């Protein structure tokens, strides 16, 4: 139960969740594969693929003499309040950030907890794109 609580506490966005999962996979002996490379897969090997910093696929290859497979899936995004472009709204001496809803949240559950700003900042410079989670 504590492992789940740790994951939820550190996974404010899909990017944070993907980073957390990647670290756990590496700690548990998984090898990262890149989609553009030719893969060398071995019997009883443990592997994962990451795309865009916000999605991750992990799989384990079993014994090849008695082939079978199991698939478990989930998604990393979750209901959230997303900050809009040009979000600052000034009302007297108080400034707020304008948000929009994302996903099918149970919105009343957001009212009794402190909200945090989390996500990814993307900028371009000299025709190159940089991002930071």
């Amino acid at each position: 139960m504590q492992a789940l609580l740790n994951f939820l506490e550190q996974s404010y966005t899909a990017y944070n969740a993907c980073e957390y999962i990647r670290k756990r996979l590496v700690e548990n002996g998984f090898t990262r594969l890149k989609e553009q490379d030719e893969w060398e897969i071995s019997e009883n090997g443990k592997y994962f693929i990451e795309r865009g910093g916000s999605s991750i696929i992990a799989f384990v290859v079993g014994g090849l003499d008695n082939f079978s497979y199991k698939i478990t899936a989930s998604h990393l995004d979750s209901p959230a309040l997303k900050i809009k472009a040009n979000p600052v709204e000034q009302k007297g001496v108080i400034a707020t950030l304008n948000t929009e809803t994302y996903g099918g949240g149970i919105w009343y559950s957001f009212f009794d907890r402190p909200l945090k700003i989390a996500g990814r900042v993307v900028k371009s410079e000299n025709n190159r794109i940089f991002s930071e989670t």
Side-chain angles (χ1 to χ4, degrees), residues 32-41:
R32 182 177 183 171
L33 301 173
K34 294 185 179 180
E35 290 181 271
Q36 65 272 19
D37 293 346
E38 188 170 323
W39 297 352
E40 292 188 29
I41 304 294

Side-chain angles (χ1 to χ4, degrees), residues 87-103:
V88 178
E89 293 183 348
Q90 188 79 34
K91 296 176 184 171
V93 296
I94 297 175
T96 61
L97 295 176
N98 193 10
T99 61
E100 61 187 339
T101 59
Y102 172 80

